[in-house]
Structure formats: C-alpha cells, structure tokens
Amino acid sequence: HGVAVVSRTTGDVVRWFPYNLDHLSSVVMGGDYVYLDGSRAFHKVTAEPKAWDPQPGGGRVFTAAVVGNTFYVGGSFTSIGGQPRNGLAAIDLDTAQATDWDPNPSIAVRALGVADSMVYAGGDFSWANGVERSHLAAVDLATGRPTSWNPNARGLPSLAMPSTPVDTSDMSAAR
C-alpha cells in the first residue's frame, strides 16, 4: 500500500510513499507537500512526514484543493483545525488551524473545485450558510457566503473543474 509520484514524461516511479493508505479518499499536492485525507502530509521529495494534522472530527475528508497557503477541504466532518466546521473548511497550511472562512453547508460536501474567487462545492447539502442551495453552491473565497449562482441540482455524482477559465457569459442562452 502506498502512493507513488510518477513522471509525466517517462511513466517511471520517481518517489514511493510506503505508508498504509487503506481507505484513502483524497490526495492533494500543495507546495512541497502531498496531503492525504486532509490529516496527513509528506514532503514530495523526501517522503518525510510533516508535523501537520488539522484533526477532522465527526466524519471524514472526501475532497480537497490547495490555493496558495490555504487547504480547502470538503467532507462529512463537524470539526477541523480546532474549530467547529460542517463539511467545508479552509485550513492554514502552516498551522493546520481553520481560518475564519465558514460556508457551513447543511451536510456533507463530496466534491469541490476552486476557480477565480469561488469555491464550487457539490454534495448532499440543501443549504450553505443559511441560503438554500440544492447539492451545488458557489461560495465566495473571501467571505464564505454563497453567491447568487444556484443551479438547483437534483444530485451530484461528481464535479469537474476546468484547468483554464471558461467564459460562461453566453451559457444562459443555451438552456
């Protein structure tokens, strides 16, 4: 069991992380580290563990993204980084503490992506920060409040985010 870093050009294993990773649900690269399940981190070259653990409580981390020095996590947890947080949180990569950002979805977040100044979250929830949002929400990266974007989804098997910005200004005409 473990995680391997594989060269994109040759397909060769560059580094092996020989840790027991049974039931692993998320792997995220951020800076010099590989973050596993929102609770463990290892240096991407040396595989040395980082003294970093935001201690998700009451559930699991299902999805994560790193932006700058912030680790955004979604899951079924009720606390993380020393603070009560329901299913969606922002964690400081240096301190492993939760930031003030708190979108507070009603239940689990199973997918997330970050684009522009938004965190797009998908999951089992019916509201975020007291605003009705069925399974999908765009949350302001600065405030943690849902935006006016409301697709009123009927479920969410997955969420895909483009690697480059997409112009959505003409999409409303395609309905």
Side-chain angles (χ1 to χ4, degrees), residues 121-175:
D124 305 328
F125 56 87
S126 57
W127 50 263
N129 229 331
V131 178
E132 187 175 324
R133 291 294 182 266
S134 178
H135 302 284
L136 277 174
V139 179
D140 186 278
L141 207 55
T143 66
R145 305 279 310 158
T147 67
S148 60
W149 183 74
N150 186 6
N152 198 25
R154 298 194 199 297
L156 184 77
S158 63
L159 177 66
M161 296 298 296
S163 58
T164 56
V166 174
D167 180 5
T168 59
S169 58
D170 292 330
M171 287 187 166
S172 62
R175 289 187 195 192

Side-chain angles (χ1 to χ4, degrees), residues 2-3 19-30 33-42 52-66 71-77 79-81 87 89 91 93 96 109-110 112:
V3 172
Y19 300 100
N20 184 0
L21 303 176
D22 289 340
H23 310 292
L24 183 67
S25 60
S26 69
V27 177
V28 177
M29 293 290 293
Y33 291 90
V34 177
Y35 296 89
L36 308 173
D37 280 346
S39 63
R40 296 177 282 173
F42 304 94
W52 185 87
D53 184 359
Q55 301 179 338
R60 296 183 57 192
V61 171
F62 298 135
T63 183
V66 173
F71 188 70
Y72 293 92
V73 292
S76 60
F77 52 85
S79 66
I80 193 165
I91 308 297
L93 282 178
V109 170
R110 299 192 177 275
L112 68 81

